[in-house]
Amino acid sequence: MAIYLDHAATTPLRPEALEAMLPYLTERFGNPSSPHRFGRAARAGLDEARERLAARLNAEPRELVFTSGGTEANNLAVKGAAWVGKARGNQILTSPVEHHSVGHSLAYLEKFGFEVVALGVDRYGRVDPDEVEARLGDRTILVSIMLANNEVGTIEPIAEIARRVRTRRGVLFHVDAVAAAPHLPLDVQALDVDLLTLSAHKFEGPKGAGLLYIRRGVHILAQQQGGTQERYRRAGTEDVAAVVGMAVAYDLACEERATVSGRLRRAADRLLRTLRAEPGVEVTGHPKERLPGLVSVVVPGVDGAELVMALDLAGIAVSTGSACTTGSTEPSHVLTAMGYPADEARGALRISLGRATTEAELETAAAEIRAVIARFRAAAESEPALAQDGVLGR
Ligand code: PMP
């Protein structure tokens, strides 16, 4: 029996979402842009989902653009805002701990003459709002900072940052809320953002579904040309079933958040205390301002990818950090930006709990994780080079 503790990578589709999706994969298959009854049935599902999601986010339905996920929404936000802003300026402020769908989109924009300023972060991965204000200039057109980090769980001081961004007229503020969405209430008015990204598969919705909130009056350049869907902001026939599943999953996540988050936080805190007591283990991310249910550590001198494999053999599914960088031998850009040297950053381990995680699973997992870490550390101490190659320690 395997224990799944990688909910920050993805979550299982919840049964209520699947059930709501099924009719749109079968009899309600129409194209939502078709005027006939088949199209209208699909359109009704899409419209209802849009209204439910907008209500939850304190947005207007027309302010939501459905996308194929967080990656597409982040690309659309950052590139779409940059190209429209080019007439006014070329500078974009961001953090060095963003997901690659933001970071690599910005690197792409640099090739076209945009200047990307990476702000500093502290040991916990937090951006300093004062630095945001100090760096805002006449040429700044966009600030993009995530709400919570997907690798270490640190929550950024977004309200404070928004306040500083608002001191300059015409600067757009984008927030990647993908990692935060399952755990933190999101209100686009209270957050005071112009653009906000969500991805359904992180809150027990389907994969391949996400959205970008675009504040009314904010103009961004579509990144995909074709039909008139999504008010010309994202061409292509909408995945109605996926959007319906996303709306149901998000509704339920919001309703259950208070109870689930409290339970996850207590469970994660227990696991954190256990791991912190393990010699050679350092907890990463902010001690308080962090997502509930996400435990991240480094074990210096040990290869995190090897730890993940050894734990998989023991039936425990965890990760080194982001699933999106699997296969890369580079240490996490998040941990290196936080000041961890490469050899420490390579020893990263992320354990992320979900709604269905049980006490018994966590107890088993904690014992296995401790045992595997102790074995790897012992191997690293006796044969450092071999342990690094993963020859020992399993
Ligand atoms: N942003 C963050 C913070 C994420 O964690 C992820 C998913 N790893 C994404 C964006 C990309 O979302 P998706 O998987 O839906 O493309």
Side-chain angles (χ1 to χ4, degrees):
M1 212 205 47
I3 297 175
Y4 186 76
L5 291 172
D6 199 12
H7 292 84
T10 196
T11 56
L13 180 66
R14 62 187 301 164
E16 302 92 327
L18 175 63
E19 203 187 316
M21 290 168 72
L22 281 174
Y24 295 94
L25 295 166
T26 51
E27 72 267 22
R28 268 178 246 164
F29 63 87
N31 185 323
S33 297
S34 298
H36 49 60
R37 68 192 60 211
F38 291 87
R40 288 199 309 273
R43 168 66 52 190
L46 196 63
D47 285 349
E48 199 215 320
R50 198 186 300 277
E51 277 161 26
R52 285 168 81 159
L53 282 159
R56 287 290 182 190
L57 295 168
N58 197 15
E60 295 172 34
R62 60 187 288 165
E63 294 177 310
L64 305 187
V65 172
F66 294 127
T67 67
S68 65
T71 296
E72 188 194 331
N74 279 342
N75 271 262
L76 176 58
V78 166
K79 293 177 185 169
W83 286 119
V84 167
K86 198 156 170 62
R88 282 186 297 106
N90 71 335
Q91 192 188 61
I92 301 169
L93 308 187
T94 190
S95 89
V97 298
E98 299 299 310
H99 187 263
H100 284 327
S101 51
V102 167
H104 290 178
S105 290
L106 292 173
Y108 163 90
L109 287 169
E110 278 183 317
K111 297 194 175 101
F112 297 95
F114 289 95
E115 186 204 338
V116 178
V117 176
L119 304 158
V121 288
D122 64 15
R123 181 77 176 165
Y124 305 128
R126 299 250 291 180
V127 169
D128 177 358
D130 287 342
E131 197 196 350
V132 175
E133 188 166 359
R135 293 295 202 111
L136 281 168
D138 294 339
R139 288 181 299 111
T140 313
I141 52 175
L142 172 69
V143 177
S144 181
I145 311 236
M146 67 202 326
L147 182 47
N149 186 271
N150 52 307
E151 292 191 28
V152 295
T154 296
I155 299 169
E156 297 291 344
I158 287 297
E160 266 302 290
I161 294 170
R163 217 165 52 75
R164 312 306 172 93
V165 173
R166 294 304 177 213
T167 60
R168 289 260 170 182
R169 277 197 55 206
V171 179
L172 294 182
F173 186 33
H174 168 241
V175 167
D176 174 356
V178 169
H183 306 292
L184 306 180
L186 297 176
D187 176 327
V188 291
Q189 305 306 331
L191 287 168
D192 200 9
V193 296
D194 298 302
L195 302 157
L196 179 128
T197 299
L198 288 193
S199 171
H201 73 98
K202 308 286 182 174
F203 49 79
E204 298 180 82
K207 289 168 189 60
L211 66 82
L212 180 65
Y213 158 79
I214 307 176
R215 181 184 290 283
R216 192 206 273 249
V218 167
H219 182 48
I220 65 161
L221 191 68
Q223 295 302 300
Q224 189 160 297
Q225 280 63 50
T228 60
Q229 292 92 349
E230 301 298 299
R231 296 175 176 266
Y232 295 91
R233 294 166 302 184
R234 198 275 190 177
T237 303
E238 298 90 344
D239 187 340
V240 181
V243 168
V244 166
M246 168 160 65
V248 169
Y250 195 62
D251 251 353
L252 292 167
C254 291
E255 272 166 27
E256 296 164 358
R257 184 172 287 129
T259 29
V260 172
S261 291
R263 194 165 56 75
L264 291 186
R265 186 173 293 285
R266 287 189 293 278
D269 282 351
R270 273 200 299 280
L271 183 59
L272 270 173
R273 276 198 300 275
T274 310
L275 294 183
R276 195 183 280 126
E278 200 60 35
V281 176
E282 191 187 328
V283 174
T284 56
H286 200 278
K288 291 209 175 69
E289 293 300 318
R290 58 186 303 134
L291 292 175
L294 195 149
V295 172
S296 57
V297 298
V298 287
V299 191
V302 166
D303 183 350
E306 290 289 328
L307 281 178
V308 168
M309 281 193 285
L311 284 164
D312 185 38
L313 287 179
I316 316 286
V318 294
S319 74
T320 50
S322 169
C324 303
T325 47
T326 296
S328 159
T329 50
E330 291 300 306
S332 150
H333 69 287
V334 173
L335 292 173
T336 43
M338 286 160 60
Y340 288 85
D343 69 314
E344 289 188 24
R346 280 206 181 81
L349 200 63
R350 178 184 71 182
I351 304 138
S352 46
L353 286 50
R355 187 170 56 91
T357 305
T358 64
E359 292 290 327
E361 281 182 326
L362 270 186
E363 255 173 52
T364 310
E368 287 290 352
I369 294 167
R370 288 177 63 195
V372 168
I373 288 178
R375 213 155 75 220
F376 270 71
R377 285 197 67 246
E381 272 160 27
S382 59
E383 292 278 2
L386 286 178
Q388 281 282 325
D389 290 343
V391 177
L392 290 175
R394 270 195 220 164

